[in-house]
């Protein structure tokens, strides 16, 4: 069994962050491990508070895992400050972390800023450690310093982001109402488009975390970046299709839905 690491924030609501990552990784048949960078207080209605983890603890979490375990790939999510970004970057370089997939978490669905403004430049510099970065449209606009309104803009933004040093760039098109195509700019400069089916549901908590951690899982299993994205797109589509409510706000995507059904769970 391949071992895959998530370095991200904790989601007390269980739909995103390390909790969502570990569910997605387990569903792909890899063993998921976690390094916690921050603790969030959140429910289905939003994020209400964030407590960053001590830098030395973040560093040691990474180091002791690599001292003992052969880690095939890494998903990096919430890194809220420039100091955390630097310690994760330096430590991954020190332990020779490979196959790093970066989900540049900036703002929660409820509008809570999870990345401090002063850390944006540090995050841009962090990208050069990655095999892949997976920004949505708003995140790509910040990383590329441009407005994105069309597929042509997405391609141009991907090229600008790739120039920051990351090997591959996947810009997710879900924020575009008229066309939700995702666009991959590969290491060799090839453009690959991924089309997705849209579902009418408010329950999309954890989509970005799920996609990036699923991609990291497949890369860790030896699939190419493009193959990993294609397989992960199928999985995220299935989880959105089977998403459900847990409170008054945005519910989580549906992992292990078949197991819940076998257990006789009623989602209504």
């Amino acid at each position: 069994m391949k071992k895959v690491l998530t370095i991200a924030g904790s989601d007390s609501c269980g739909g995103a962050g390390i909790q969502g990552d570990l569910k997605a990784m387990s569903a792909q048949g890899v063993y998921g491990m976690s390094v916690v960078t921050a603790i969030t207080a959140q429910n289905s209605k939003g994020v209400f508070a964030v407590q960053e983890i001590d830098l030395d603890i973040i560093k040691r979490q990474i180091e002791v895992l690599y001292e003992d375990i052969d880690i095939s790939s890494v998903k990096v999510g919430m890194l809220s400050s420039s100091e955390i970004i630097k310690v994760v970057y330096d430590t991954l370089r020190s332990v020779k972390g490979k196959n790093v997939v970066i989900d540049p978490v900036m703002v929660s669905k409820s509008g809570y800023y999870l990345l401090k403004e002063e850390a944006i430049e540090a995050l841009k510099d962090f990208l050069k450690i990655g095999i892949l970065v997976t920004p949505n449209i708003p995140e790509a606009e910040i990383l590329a310093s441009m407005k994105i309104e069309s597929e042509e803009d997405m391609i141009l933004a991907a090229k600008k982001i790739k120039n920051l040093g990351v090997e591959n760039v996947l810009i997710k098109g879900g924020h575009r109402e008229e066309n939700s195509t995702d666009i991959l700019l590969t290491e060799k400069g090839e453009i690959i488009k991924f089309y997705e089916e849209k579902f009418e549901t408010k329950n999309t908590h954890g989509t970005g975390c799920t996609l990036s951690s699923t991609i990291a899982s497949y890369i860790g299993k030896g699939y190419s970046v493009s193959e990993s994205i294609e397989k992960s797109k199928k999985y995220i589509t299935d989880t959105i299709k089977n998403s459900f409510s847990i409170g008054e706000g945005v519910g989580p995507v549906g992992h292990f839905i078949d197991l819940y059904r076998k257990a006789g769970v009623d989602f209504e």
Side-chain angles (χ1 to χ4, degrees), residues 26-63:
S26 297
Q28 313 319 315
V30 301
Y31 183 79
M33 301 166 292
S34 63
V35 167
V36 184
T37 61
I39 297 170
T40 67
Q42 61 180 295
N43 57 27
S44 68
K45 295 187 284 187
V47 179
F48 297 89
V50 173
Q51 174 66 62
E52 294 177 351
I53 300 299
D54 182 85
L55 296 177
D56 287 338
I57 293 297
I58 294 174
K59 181 174 184 286
R60 287 303 289 150
Q61 286 180 88
I62 299 171
E63 287 176 337

PDB file of all heavy atoms in Angstrom, residues 26-63:
ATOM      1  N   SER A  26      -8.173   7.452   1.513  1.00  0.00           N
ATOM      2  CA  SER A  26      -8.590   6.084   1.852  1.00  0.00           C
ATOM      3  C   SER A  26      -9.449   5.492   0.744  1.00  0.00           C
ATOM      4  O   SER A  26      -9.340   4.300   0.425  1.00  0.00           O
ATOM      5  CB  SER A  26      -9.366   6.086   3.167  1.00  0.00           C
ATOM      6  OG  SER A  26      -8.542   6.513   4.238  1.00  0.00           O
ATOM      7  N   ALA A  27     -10.283   6.323   0.143  1.00  0.00           N
ATOM      8  CA  ALA A  27     -11.165   5.843  -0.931  1.00  0.00           C
ATOM      9  C   ALA A  27     -10.390   5.428  -2.170  1.00  0.00           C
ATOM     10  O   ALA A  27     -10.898   4.658  -2.988  1.00  0.00           O
ATOM     11  CB  ALA A  27     -12.185   6.919  -1.285  1.00  0.00           C
ATOM     12  N   GLN A  28      -9.155   5.924  -2.317  1.00  0.00           N
ATOM     13  CA  GLN A  28      -8.338   5.548  -3.473  1.00  0.00           C
ATOM     14  C   GLN A  28      -7.403   4.377  -3.173  1.00  0.00           C
ATOM     15  O   GLN A  28      -6.583   3.994  -4.011  1.00  0.00           O
ATOM     16  CB  GLN A  28      -7.485   6.747  -3.953  1.00  0.00           C
ATOM     17  CG  GLN A  28      -8.226   8.065  -4.085  1.00  0.00           C
ATOM     18  CD  GLN A  28      -9.598   7.955  -4.686  1.00  0.00           C
ATOM     19  OE1 GLN A  28      -9.803   7.261  -5.679  1.00  0.00           O
ATOM     20  NE2 GLN A  28     -10.565   8.672  -4.095  1.00  0.00           N
ATOM     21  N   GLY A  29      -7.495   3.832  -1.972  1.00  0.00           N
ATOM     22  CA  GLY A  29      -6.691   2.668  -1.633  1.00  0.00           C
ATOM     23  C   GLY A  29      -5.261   2.979  -1.260  1.00  0.00           C
ATOM     24  O   GLY A  29      -4.378   2.131  -1.439  1.00  0.00           O
ATOM     25  N   VAL A  30      -5.009   4.188  -0.727  1.00  0.00           N
ATOM     26  CA  VAL A  30      -3.683   4.513  -0.198  1.00  0.00           C
ATOM     27  C   VAL A  30      -3.812   4.780   1.292  1.00  0.00           C
ATOM     28  O   VAL A  30      -4.914   5.016   1.816  1.00  0.00           O
ATOM     29  CB  VAL A  30      -3.059   5.734  -0.907  1.00  0.00           C
ATOM     30  CG1 VAL A  30      -2.938   5.473  -2.406  1.00  0.00           C
ATOM     31  CG2 VAL A  30      -3.861   7.012  -0.647  1.00  0.00           C
ATOM     32  N   TYR A  31      -2.673   4.758   1.993  1.00  0.00           N
ATOM     33  CA  TYR A  31      -2.682   5.031   3.427  1.00  0.00           C
ATOM     34  C   TYR A  31      -2.381   6.507   3.637  1.00  0.00           C
ATOM     35  O   TYR A  31      -1.300   6.991   3.327  1.00  0.00           O
ATOM     36  CB  TYR A  31      -1.634   4.177   4.138  1.00  0.00           C
ATOM     37  CG  TYR A  31      -1.649   4.357   5.644  1.00  0.00           C
ATOM     38  CD1 TYR A  31      -2.617   3.722   6.422  1.00  0.00           C
ATOM     39  CD2 TYR A  31      -0.720   5.179   6.274  1.00  0.00           C
ATOM     40  CE1 TYR A  31      -2.648   3.894   7.795  1.00  0.00           C
ATOM     41  CE2 TYR A  31      -0.743   5.359   7.649  1.00  0.00           C
ATOM     42  CZ  TYR A  31      -1.708   4.707   8.402  1.00  0.00           C
ATOM     43  OH  TYR A  31      -1.742   4.896   9.761  1.00  0.00           O
ATOM     44  N   GLY A  32      -3.350   7.238   4.163  1.00  0.00           N
ATOM     45  CA  GLY A  32      -3.202   8.664   4.348  1.00  0.00           C
ATOM     46  C   GLY A  32      -2.653   9.033   5.715  1.00  0.00           C
ATOM     47  O   GLY A  32      -3.022   8.444   6.732  1.00  0.00           O
ATOM     48  N   MET A  33      -1.756  10.021   5.737  1.00  0.00           N
ATOM     49  CA  MET A  33      -1.179  10.558   6.972  1.00  0.00           C
ATOM     50  C   MET A  33      -1.314  12.068   6.937  1.00  0.00           C
ATOM     51  O   MET A  33      -1.463  12.657   5.866  1.00  0.00           O
ATOM     52  CB  MET A  33       0.291  10.163   7.085  1.00  0.00           C
ATOM     53  CG  MET A  33       0.520   8.656   7.084  1.00  0.00           C
ATOM     54  SD  MET A  33       2.250   8.238   6.810  1.00  0.00           S
ATOM     55  CE  MET A  33       2.441   8.753   5.104  1.00  0.00           C
ATOM     56  N   SER A  34      -1.225  12.716   8.110  1.00  0.00           N
ATOM     57  CA  SER A  34      -1.471  14.156   8.134  1.00  0.00           C
ATOM     58  C   SER A  34      -0.477  14.922   8.982  1.00  0.00           C
ATOM     59  O   SER A  34      -0.054  14.465  10.042  1.00  0.00           O
ATOM     60  CB  SER A  34      -2.891  14.436   8.649  1.00  0.00           C
ATOM     61  OG  SER A  34      -3.029  13.981   9.981  1.00  0.00           O
ATOM     62  N   VAL A  35      -0.129  16.106   8.475  1.00  0.00           N
ATOM     63  CA  VAL A  35       0.604  17.113   9.231  1.00  0.00           C
ATOM     64  C   VAL A  35      -0.324  18.312   9.357  1.00  0.00           C
ATOM     65  O   VAL A  35      -0.739  18.897   8.355  1.00  0.00           O
ATOM     66  CB  VAL A  35       1.910  17.515   8.517  1.00  0.00           C
ATOM     67  CG1 VAL A  35       2.497  18.778   9.138  1.00  0.00           C
ATOM     68  CG2 VAL A  35       2.915  16.368   8.566  1.00  0.00           C
ATOM     69  N   VAL A  36      -0.688  18.672  10.588  1.00  0.00           N
ATOM     70  CA  VAL A  36      -1.640  19.752  10.824  1.00  0.00           C
ATOM     71  C   VAL A  36      -0.908  21.090  10.896  1.00  0.00           C
ATOM     72  O   VAL A  36       0.030  21.254  11.677  1.00  0.00           O
ATOM     73  CB  VAL A  36      -2.428  19.517  12.123  1.00  0.00           C
ATOM     74  CG1 VAL A  36      -3.481  20.603  12.310  1.00  0.00           C
ATOM     75  CG2 VAL A  36      -3.076  18.146  12.120  1.00  0.00           C
ATOM     76  N   THR A  37      -1.343  22.041  10.071  1.00  0.00           N
ATOM     77  CA  THR A  37      -0.732  23.375  10.066  1.00  0.00           C
ATOM     78  C   THR A  37      -1.553  24.394  10.839  1.00  0.00           C
ATOM     79  O   THR A  37      -1.021  25.415  11.275  1.00  0.00           O
ATOM     80  CB  THR A  37      -0.568  23.887   8.621  1.00  0.00           C
ATOM     81  OG1 THR A  37      -1.864  23.985   8.004  1.00  0.00           O
ATOM     82  CG2 THR A  37       0.316  22.949   7.805  1.00  0.00           C
ATOM     83  N   ALA A  38      -2.843  24.146  10.974  1.00  0.00           N
ATOM     84  CA  ALA A  38      -3.730  25.066  11.691  1.00  0.00           C
ATOM     85  C   ALA A  38      -4.990  24.320  12.105  1.00  0.00           C
ATOM     86  O   ALA A  38      -5.367  23.323  11.488  1.00  0.00           O
ATOM     87  CB  ALA A  38      -4.101  26.257  10.812  1.00  0.00           C
ATOM     88  N   ILE A  39      -5.624  24.812  13.160  1.00  0.00           N
ATOM     89  CA  ILE A  39      -6.899  24.277  13.607  1.00  0.00           C
ATOM     90  C   ILE A  39      -7.963  25.329  13.322  1.00  0.00           C
ATOM     91  O   ILE A  39      -7.800  26.498  13.678  1.00  0.00           O
ATOM     92  CB  ILE A  39      -6.878  23.948  15.104  1.00  0.00           C
ATOM     93  CG1 ILE A  39      -5.840  22.862  15.394  1.00  0.00           C
ATOM     94  CG2 ILE A  39      -8.255  23.491  15.583  1.00  0.00           C
ATOM     95  CD1 ILE A  39      -5.584  22.637  16.864  1.00  0.00           C
ATOM     96  N   THR A  40      -9.039  24.923  12.675  1.00  0.00           N
ATOM     97  CA  THR A  40     -10.123  25.864  12.392  1.00  0.00           C
ATOM     98  C   THR A  40     -11.360  25.497  13.204  1.00  0.00           C
ATOM     99  O   THR A  40     -11.608  24.330  13.482  1.00  0.00           O
ATOM    100  CB  THR A  40     -10.502  25.867  10.899  1.00  0.00           C
ATOM    101  OG1 THR A  40     -11.094  24.595  10.556  1.00  0.00           O
ATOM    102  CG2 THR A  40      -9.292  26.120  10.022  1.00  0.00           C
ATOM    103  N   ALA A  41     -12.107  26.527  13.576  1.00  0.00           N
ATOM    104  CA  ALA A  41     -13.421  26.325  14.192  1.00  0.00           C
ATOM    105  C   ALA A  41     -14.452  26.624  13.116  1.00  0.00           C
ATOM    106  O   ALA A  41     -14.619  27.769  12.703  1.00  0.00           O
ATOM    107  CB  ALA A  41     -13.603  27.261  15.387  1.00  0.00           C
ATOM    108  N   GLN A  42     -15.093  25.589  12.613  1.00  0.00           N
ATOM    109  CA  GLN A  42     -16.052  25.792  11.535  1.00  0.00           C
ATOM    110  C   GLN A  42     -17.171  24.762  11.596  1.00  0.00           C
ATOM    111  O   GLN A  42     -17.040  23.702  12.199  1.00  0.00           O
ATOM    112  CB  GLN A  42     -15.366  25.764  10.170  1.00  0.00           C
ATOM    113  CG  GLN A  42     -14.654  24.468   9.807  1.00  0.00           C
ATOM    114  CD  GLN A  42     -14.010  24.546   8.427  1.00  0.00           C
ATOM    115  OE1 GLN A  42     -14.684  24.655   7.407  1.00  0.00           O
ATOM    116  NE2 GLN A  42     -12.688  24.513   8.396  1.00  0.00           N
ATOM    117  N   ASN A  43     -18.283  25.124  10.970  1.00  0.00           N
ATOM    118  CA  ASN A  43     -19.396  24.206  10.793  1.00  0.00           C
ATOM    119  C   ASN A  43     -19.883  24.339   9.362  1.00  0.00           C
ATOM    120  O   ASN A  43     -19.173  24.903   8.513  1.00  0.00           O
ATOM    121  CB  ASN A  43     -20.507  24.470  11.823  1.00  0.00           C
ATOM    122  CG  ASN A  43     -21.031  25.903  11.782  1.00  0.00           C
ATOM    123  OD1 ASN A  43     -20.976  26.575  10.740  1.00  0.00           O
ATOM    124  ND2 ASN A  43     -21.540  26.385  12.904  1.00  0.00           N
ATOM    125  N   SER A  44     -21.048  23.844   9.053  1.00  0.00           N
ATOM    126  CA  SER A  44     -21.512  23.881   7.666  1.00  0.00           C
ATOM    127  C   SER A  44     -21.809  25.304   7.192  1.00  0.00           C
ATOM    128  O   SER A  44     -21.931  25.545   5.988  1.00  0.00           O
ATOM    129  CB  SER A  44     -22.762  23.004   7.500  1.00  0.00           C
ATOM    130  OG  SER A  44     -23.875  23.558   8.179  1.00  0.00           O
ATOM    131  N   LYS A  45     -21.909  26.239   8.137  1.00  0.00           N
ATOM    132  CA  LYS A  45     -22.229  27.622   7.779  1.00  0.00           C
ATOM    133  C   LYS A  45     -21.003  28.508   7.589  1.00  0.00           C
ATOM    134  O   LYS A  45     -21.128  29.621   7.095  1.00  0.00           O
ATOM    135  CB  LYS A  45     -23.161  28.227   8.835  1.00  0.00           C
ATOM    136  CG  LYS A  45     -24.529  27.561   8.884  1.00  0.00           C
ATOM    137  CD  LYS A  45     -25.489  28.267   9.813  1.00  0.00           C
ATOM    138  CE  LYS A  45     -25.176  27.969  11.263  1.00  0.00           C
ATOM    139  NZ  LYS A  45     -26.209  28.528  12.180  1.00  0.00           N
ATOM    140  N   GLY A  46     -19.819  28.018   7.973  1.00  0.00           N
ATOM    141  CA  GLY A  46     -18.641  28.835   7.724  1.00  0.00           C
ATOM    142  C   GLY A  46     -17.507  28.590   8.691  1.00  0.00           C
ATOM    143  O   GLY A  46     -17.596  27.754   9.601  1.00  0.00           O
ATOM    144  N   VAL A  47     -16.422  29.347   8.478  1.00  0.00           N
ATOM    145  CA  VAL A  47     -15.246  29.309   9.344  1.00  0.00           C
ATOM    146  C   VAL A  47     -15.342  30.488  10.313  1.00  0.00           C
ATOM    147  O   VAL A  47     -15.581  31.615   9.906  1.00  0.00           O
ATOM    148  CB  VAL A  47     -13.941  29.403   8.519  1.00  0.00           C
ATOM    149  CG1 VAL A  47     -12.722  29.384   9.441  1.00  0.00           C
ATOM    150  CG2 VAL A  47     -13.864  28.264   7.506  1.00  0.00           C
ATOM    151  N   PHE A  48     -15.104  30.216  11.595  1.00  0.00           N
ATOM    152  CA  PHE A  48     -15.292  31.246  12.607  1.00  0.00           C
ATOM    153  C   PHE A  48     -14.005  31.616  13.348  1.00  0.00           C
ATOM    154  O   PHE A  48     -13.924  32.684  13.949  1.00  0.00           O
ATOM    155  CB  PHE A  48     -16.357  30.799  13.602  1.00  0.00           C
ATOM    156  CG  PHE A  48     -17.709  30.624  12.965  1.00  0.00           C
ATOM    157  CD1 PHE A  48     -18.082  29.406  12.419  1.00  0.00           C
ATOM    158  CD2 PHE A  48     -18.596  31.676  12.867  1.00  0.00           C
ATOM    159  CE1 PHE A  48     -19.324  29.245  11.809  1.00  0.00           C
ATOM    160  CE2 PHE A  48     -19.838  31.526  12.261  1.00  0.00           C
ATOM    161  CZ  PHE A  48     -20.200  30.306  11.726  1.00  0.00           C
ATOM    162  N   ALA A  49     -12.996  30.752  13.303  1.00  0.00           N
ATOM    163  CA  ALA A  49     -11.732  31.064  13.968  1.00  0.00           C
ATOM    164  C   ALA A  49     -10.644  30.132  13.447  1.00  0.00           C
ATOM    165  O   ALA A  49     -10.923  29.014  12.999  1.00  0.00           O
ATOM    166  CB  ALA A  49     -11.866  30.917  15.484  1.00  0.00           C
ATOM    167  N   VAL A  50      -9.400  30.618  13.515  1.00  0.00           N
ATOM    168  CA  VAL A  50      -8.242  29.824  13.083  1.00  0.00           C
ATOM    169  C   VAL A  50      -7.131  29.971  14.119  1.00  0.00           C
ATOM    170  O   VAL A  50      -6.837  31.075  14.578  1.00  0.00           O
ATOM    171  CB  VAL A  50      -7.709  30.285  11.708  1.00  0.00           C
ATOM    172  CG1 VAL A  50      -6.404  29.567  11.368  1.00  0.00           C
ATOM    173  CG2 VAL A  50      -8.745  30.042  10.622  1.00  0.00           C
ATOM    174  N   GLN A  51      -6.520  28.852  14.501  1.00  0.00           N
ATOM    175  CA  GLN A  51      -5.354  28.858  15.384  1.00  0.00           C
ATOM    176  C   GLN A  51      -4.210  28.145  14.670  1.00  0.00           C
ATOM    177  O   GLN A  51      -4.305  26.947  14.373  1.00  0.00           O
ATOM    178  CB  GLN A  51      -5.663  28.142  16.700  1.00  0.00           C
ATOM    179  CG  GLN A  51      -4.464  27.982  17.629  1.00  0.00           C
ATOM    180  CD  GLN A  51      -3.945  29.307  18.140  1.00  0.00           C
ATOM    181  OE1 GLN A  51      -4.665  30.027  18.832  1.00  0.00           O
ATOM    182  NE2 GLN A  51      -2.706  29.647  17.809  1.00  0.00           N
ATOM    183  N   GLU A  52      -3.139  28.876  14.369  1.00  0.00           N
ATOM    184  CA  GLU A  52      -1.995  28.271  13.702  1.00  0.00           C
ATOM    185  C   GLU A  52      -1.210  27.390  14.673  1.00  0.00           C
ATOM    186  O   GLU A  52      -1.130  27.672  15.863  1.00  0.00           O
ATOM    187  CB  GLU A  52      -1.085  29.369  13.130  1.00  0.00           C
ATOM    188  CG  GLU A  52      -1.740  30.174  12.020  1.00  0.00           C
ATOM    189  CD  GLU A  52      -0.853  31.309  11.527  1.00  0.00           C
ATOM    190  OE1 GLU A  52       0.182  31.577  12.160  1.00  0.00           O
ATOM    191  OE2 GLU A  52      -1.213  31.932  10.506  1.00  0.00           O
ATOM    192  N   ILE A  53      -0.643  26.321  14.125  1.00  0.00           N
ATOM    193  CA  ILE A  53       0.180  25.405  14.915  1.00  0.00           C
ATOM    194  C   ILE A  53       1.603  25.959  15.025  1.00  0.00           C
ATOM    195  O   ILE A  53       2.114  26.616  14.110  1.00  0.00           O
ATOM    196  CB  ILE A  53       0.196  24.007  14.256  1.00  0.00           C
ATOM    197  CG1 ILE A  53      -1.227  23.435  14.170  1.00  0.00           C
ATOM    198  CG2 ILE A  53       1.103  23.045  15.021  1.00  0.00           C
ATOM    199  CD1 ILE A  53      -1.906  23.232  15.493  1.00  0.00           C
ATOM    200  N   ASP A  54       2.256  25.691  16.136  1.00  0.00           N
ATOM    201  CA  ASP A  54       3.636  26.130  16.361  1.00  0.00           C
ATOM    202  C   ASP A  54       4.547  25.627  15.243  1.00  0.00           C
ATOM    203  O   ASP A  54       4.453  24.472  14.813  1.00  0.00           O
ATOM    204  CB  ASP A  54       4.113  25.591  17.716  1.00  0.00           C
ATOM    205  CG  ASP A  54       5.522  26.037  18.053  1.00  0.00           C
ATOM    206  OD1 ASP A  54       5.684  27.137  18.597  1.00  0.00           O
ATOM    207  OD2 ASP A  54       6.452  25.261  17.747  1.00  0.00           O
ATOM    208  N   LEU A  55       5.436  26.486  14.782  1.00  0.00           N
ATOM    209  CA  LEU A  55       6.298  26.157  13.647  1.00  0.00           C
ATOM    210  C   LEU A  55       7.169  24.926  13.909  1.00  0.00           C
ATOM    211  O   LEU A  55       7.362  24.091  13.014  1.00  0.00           O
ATOM    212  CB  LEU A  55       7.185  27.346  13.288  1.00  0.00           C
ATOM    213  CG  LEU A  55       6.472  28.610  12.807  1.00  0.00           C
ATOM    214  CD1 LEU A  55       7.484  29.725  12.561  1.00  0.00           C
ATOM    215  CD2 LEU A  55       5.674  28.328  11.539  1.00  0.00           C
ATOM    216  N   ASP A  56       7.696  24.797  15.123  1.00  0.00           N
ATOM    217  CA  ASP A  56       8.549  23.652  15.442  1.00  0.00           C
ATOM    218  C   ASP A  56       7.759  22.341  15.388  1.00  0.00           C
ATOM    219  O   ASP A  56       8.284  21.301  14.966  1.00  0.00           O
ATOM    220  CB  ASP A  56       9.166  23.821  16.831  1.00  0.00           C
ATOM    221  CG  ASP A  56      10.258  24.883  16.850  1.00  0.00           C
ATOM    222  OD1 ASP A  56      10.822  25.169  15.776  1.00  0.00           O
ATOM    223  OD2 ASP A  56      10.526  25.425  17.939  1.00  0.00           O
ATOM    224  N   ILE A  57       6.492  22.379  15.786  1.00  0.00           N
ATOM    225  CA  ILE A  57       5.654  21.177  15.740  1.00  0.00           C
ATOM    226  C   ILE A  57       5.343  20.799  14.288  1.00  0.00           C
ATOM    227  O   ILE A  57       5.346  19.611  13.928  1.00  0.00           O
ATOM    228  CB  ILE A  57       4.368  21.382  16.540  1.00  0.00           C
ATOM    229  CG1 ILE A  57       4.674  21.517  18.026  1.00  0.00           C
ATOM    230  CG2 ILE A  57       3.391  20.229  16.301  1.00  0.00           C
ATOM    231  CD1 ILE A  57       5.310  20.286  18.636  1.00  0.00           C
ATOM    232  N   ILE A  58       5.077  21.793  13.454  1.00  0.00           N
ATOM    233  CA  ILE A  58       4.854  21.514  12.027  1.00  0.00           C
ATOM    234  C   ILE A  58       6.088  20.841  11.441  1.00  0.00           C
ATOM    235  O   ILE A  58       5.993  19.812  10.745  1.00  0.00           O
ATOM    236  CB  ILE A  58       4.528  22.811  11.264  1.00  0.00           C
ATOM    237  CG1 ILE A  58       3.185  23.387  11.731  1.00  0.00           C
ATOM    238  CG2 ILE A  58       4.483  22.543   9.743  1.00  0.00           C
ATOM    239  CD1 ILE A  58       2.847  24.736  11.137  1.00  0.00           C
ATOM    240  N   LYS A  59       7.242  21.405  11.732  1.00  0.00           N
ATOM    241  CA  LYS A  59       8.511  20.866  11.225  1.00  0.00           C
ATOM    242  C   LYS A  59       8.732  19.428  11.692  1.00  0.00           C
ATOM    243  O   LYS A  59       9.063  18.543  10.889  1.00  0.00           O
ATOM    244  CB  LYS A  59       9.668  21.760  11.690  1.00  0.00           C
ATOM    245  CG  LYS A  59      11.051  21.350  11.218  1.00  0.00           C
ATOM    246  CD  LYS A  59      12.064  22.419  11.631  1.00  0.00           C
ATOM    247  CE  LYS A  59      13.461  22.121  11.092  1.00  0.00           C
ATOM    248  NZ  LYS A  59      14.099  21.000  11.843  1.00  0.00           N
ATOM    249  N   ARG A  60       8.526  19.175  12.980  1.00  0.00           N
ATOM    250  CA  ARG A  60       8.776  17.849  13.518  1.00  0.00           C
ATOM    251  C   ARG A  60       7.769  16.820  13.006  1.00  0.00           C
ATOM    252  O   ARG A  60       8.119  15.645  12.812  1.00  0.00           O
ATOM    253  CB  ARG A  60       8.760  17.884  15.048  1.00  0.00           C
ATOM    254  CG  ARG A  60       9.975  18.537  15.652  1.00  0.00           C
ATOM    255  CD  ARG A  60      11.277  17.861  15.212  1.00  0.00           C
ATOM    256  NE  ARG A  60      11.438  16.539  15.823  1.00  0.00           N
ATOM    257  CZ  ARG A  60      12.084  15.532  15.258  1.00  0.00           C
ATOM    258  NH1 ARG A  60      12.625  15.661  14.058  1.00  0.00           N
ATOM    259  NH2 ARG A  60      12.205  14.376  15.892  1.00  0.00           N
ATOM    260  N   GLN A  61       6.517  17.237  12.790  1.00  0.00           N
ATOM    261  CA  GLN A  61       5.540  16.312  12.219  1.00  0.00           C
ATOM    262  C   GLN A  61       6.039  15.765  10.893  1.00  0.00           C
ATOM    263  O   GLN A  61       5.948  14.561  10.619  1.00  0.00           O
ATOM    264  CB  GLN A  61       4.194  17.019  12.000  1.00  0.00           C
ATOM    265  CG  GLN A  61       3.385  17.298  13.242  1.00  0.00           C
ATOM    266  CD  GLN A  61       2.071  17.996  12.887  1.00  0.00           C
ATOM    267  OE1 GLN A  61       1.071  17.335  12.616  1.00  0.00           O
ATOM    268  NE2 GLN A  61       2.069  19.317  12.881  1.00  0.00           N
ATOM    269  N   ILE A  62       6.562  16.654  10.055  1.00  0.00           N
ATOM    270  CA  ILE A  62       7.057  16.230   8.745  1.00  0.00           C
ATOM    271  C   ILE A  62       8.296  15.366   8.897  1.00  0.00           C
ATOM    272  O   ILE A  62       8.406  14.280   8.298  1.00  0.00           O
ATOM    273  CB  ILE A  62       7.370  17.459   7.863  1.00  0.00           C
ATOM    274  CG1 ILE A  62       6.102  18.293   7.623  1.00  0.00           C
ATOM    275  CG2 ILE A  62       7.978  17.019   6.527  1.00  0.00           C
ATOM    276  CD1 ILE A  62       6.353  19.632   6.949  1.00  0.00           C
ATOM    277  N   GLU A  63       9.233  15.820   9.710  1.00  0.00           N
ATOM    278  CA  GLU A  63      10.518  15.116   9.835  1.00  0.00           C
ATOM    279  C   GLU A  63      10.351  13.687  10.336  1.00  0.00           C
ATOM    280  O   GLU A  63      10.946  12.747   9.779  1.00  0.00           O
ATOM    281  CB  GLU A  63      11.437  15.893  10.784  1.00  0.00           C
ATOM    282  CG  GLU A  63      11.985  17.172  10.188  1.00  0.00           C
ATOM    283  CD  GLU A  63      12.813  17.960  11.186  1.00  0.00           C
ATOM    284  OE1 GLU A  63      12.628  17.771  12.415  1.00  0.00           O
ATOM    285  OE2 GLU A  63      13.643  18.777  10.748  1.00  0.00           O
TER     286      GLU A  63
END
